[in-house]
Amino acid sequence: MNEGVTSIGSYAFYRCSSLTSIVIPYGVTSIDSKAFYGCTGLPSITIPDSVTSIGLGAFGNCTGLPSITIPDGVTSIGSGAFYGCTGLTSVTIPDSVTSIGDEAFRDCTGLTSVTIPDSVTSIGSMTFYRCTGLTSVVIPAGVTSISKYAFEGCTGLTSVNIPGSVTSISKYAFYGCTGLTSVYGVAGSYAETYANDYGYTFIPVVF
């Protein structure tokens, strides 16, 4: 890919299943919708620090990616950006990110850990839907709402830490999380109310 490129356009490498390596040059600021969707043979990718946005479905169904490092410059992760990346086991989201789109990590069944920064203010609909490998989740202190189906079907999830900043949780946010038994949170917070309303054991902690 030539230097001087500032964006990778929508569908640029769509379903290029034989693609095994690519270098995204510094200077690229956006990876647009479905740019690498279905690149199942891609074993790794380095996103340069110049990138500020990752578009809708940009890396959807890149089943060969085991991990992804999102650089500090990124402020938004589009809807379905990593949808169906079943090989993805861990992801770290930097403090620069303020927006994570709906279904961003949907069906990432191999995902066992995720770090969400305090800069994120809401967990969107189906963001971690059917991430069956997740066993615990820490919701950061900046989040105020957790939308419907955000963690639906995360059958491996046994506990969740919810900070006092959260004032809204959809009753379906953890629907189908059959292993979820414990909610950790601040005493007297919305997390305690939610746990009591839906039959989870509430464990008070100091964040």
Side-chain angles (χ1 to χ4, degrees):
M1 193 176 296
N2 295 331
E3 291 187 9
V5 172
T6 58
S7 67
I8 300 174
S10 299
Y11 297 88
F13 298 95
Y14 183 79
R15 293 195 187 277
C16 289
S17 56
S18 59
L19 185 67
T20 57
S21 67
I22 192 165
V23 176
I24 301 173
Y26 186 85
V28 169
T29 58
S30 65
I31 301 172
D32 296 339
S33 299
K34 298 191 176 180
F36 293 96
Y37 184 94
C39 292
T40 53
L42 198 61
S44 65
I45 193 161
T46 301
I47 303 172
D49 291 342
S50 55
V51 171
T52 59
S53 67
I54 298 172
L56 182 151
F59 296 97
N61 283 320
C62 288
T63 54
L65 285 177
S67 64
I68 192 82
T69 299
I70 299 170
D72 288 337
V74 172
T75 58
S76 65
I77 299 171
S79 298
F82 298 96
Y83 183 145
C85 290
T86 54
L88 197 63
T89 59
S90 66
V91 62
T92 299
I93 302 168
D95 291 339
S96 56
V97 171
T98 57
S99 171
I100 302 174
D102 295 347
E103 304 181 68
F105 297 95
R106 176 178 175 170
D107 288 328
C108 290
T109 53
L111 193 63
T112 57
S113 67
V114 61
T115 302
I116 306 168
D118 289 346
S119 52
V120 172
T121 57
S122 65
I123 309 293
S125 177
M126 303 175 99
T127 300
F128 296 100
Y129 180 89
R130 280 200 305 237
C131 290
T132 53
L134 284 177
T135 57
S136 64
V137 169
V138 176
I139 307 296
V143 169
T144 59
S145 65
I146 303 172
S147 299
K148 62 183 180 181
Y149 316 125
F151 294 93
E152 180 180 344
C154 293
T155 52
L157 196 63
T158 59
S159 67
V160 60
N161 289 48
I162 302 174
S165 59
V166 172
T167 57
S168 173
I169 305 173
S170 167
K171 69 177 181 179
Y172 297 113
F174 297 96
Y175 184 78
C177 294
T178 52
L180 182 61
T181 57
S182 302
V183 172
Y184 293 80
V186 178
S189 68
Y190 187 81
E192 183 173 11
T193 301
Y194 182 84
N196 292 336
D197 285 349
Y198 294 100
Y200 301 117
T201 300
F202 181 75
I203 302 171
V205 294
V206 177
F207 280 84

